Amino acid sequence: MVIQTILGHWDNFATTGKILDKLPLEWYETNKRILHKRTAGGRQLTLKFLQESHRLQQGDVLWTDDTTVIAVDILPCDCLVLQPANMAAMAALCYEIGNKHLPLFYKAPDLLMPFDQPLYQLLTAQGYVVQQQQRQLIHPLRTSVMPHSTSGQGSLFTKIMKLTGA
């Protein structure tokens, strides 16, 4: 079965009396344009999102008929979990992680990212309290960052720190 559009979200779908057949995806598979997967119920799917920029989200409905609904289920994975003490710590953490071009997720009050041993060691050495947990990575932080400045006004990090009062 070839899927080319997202029909909606599980929360807004008429699902009464229908069987939910989950499509298990790893967090990094949610932005793939072409993907071959099997649902929990054994249906073979080919996802082809060629005309649009997309990111599959938890609960996205991909297919339905009179008896079944196929929806996305993002699997938990090994994560680093941080709870910044204040906005200045949040800014510093986001900058450190963003500077390494690593994916970052937010689920209040936690910052989450896929587990990475070198990052774990770096953040721990810098004094942050870092936990390792199994979590779903479902709320990616989307950012638009201007390049670092050398005009004497300071870097982006310096500007963020000034805004937070640190």
Side-chain angles (χ1 to χ4, degrees):
M1 176 181 330
V2 177
I3 307 293
Q4 294 181 311
T5 59
I6 298 168
L7 302 177
H9 194 271
W10 175 259
D11 295 337
N12 305 322
F13 230 76
T15 57
T16 306
K18 293 187 178 186
I19 297 168
L20 173 62
D21 189 6
K22 294 179 180 180
L23 176 64
L25 295 176
E26 299 290 341
W27 69 270
Y28 53 84
E29 294 176 315
T30 59
N31 62 350
K32 299 285 185 187
R33 297 182 81 194
I34 299 175
L35 191 61
H36 303 282
K37 295 293 283 187
R38 188 174 299 276
T39 67
R43 288 183 174 87
Q44 183 67 38
L45 300 180
T46 297
L47 306 179
K48 285 188 177 184
F49 296 104
L50 302 178
Q51 299 300 322
E52 58 187 270
S53 170
H54 81 287
R55 176 178 222 92
L56 292 170
Q57 297 181 20
Q58 179 73 15
D60 278 348
V61 174
L62 303 175
W63 183 83
T64 188
D65 66 8
D66 293 337
T67 60
T68 308
V69 174
I70 296 176
V72 171
D73 183 33
I74 300 174
L75 299 170
C77 66
D78 211 13
C79 296
L80 296 177
V81 180
L82 298 116
Q83 289 183 348
N86 52 45
M87 288 306 289
M90 174 78 82
L93 275 169
C94 288
Y95 181 80
E96 282 295 327
I97 294 162
N99 214 24
K100 292 170 182 26
H101 301 278
L102 299 172
L104 186 58
F105 296 79
Y106 181 71
K107 175 132 173 123
D110 301 329
L111 282 177
L112 307 167
M113 65 218 76
F115 185 80
D116 179 76
Q117 186 66 34
L119 183 61
Y120 176 82
Q121 291 171 339
L122 173 72
L123 294 174
T124 303
Q126 290 179 347
Y128 293 103
V129 177
V130 184
Q131 298 176 16
Q132 185 178 350
Q133 297 177 0
Q134 287 284 313
R135 300 280 288 270
Q136 282 181 303
L137 297 176
I138 57 176
H139 302 288
L141 287 178
R142 301 189 199 290
T143 59
S144 298
V145 178
M146 295 173 27
H148 299 282
S149 172
T150 56
S151 64
Q153 296 178 359
S155 68
L156 177 62
F157 179 70
T158 304
K159 292 175 187 175
I160 291 170
M161 295 308 284
K162 285 180 184 174
L163 286 173
T164 62

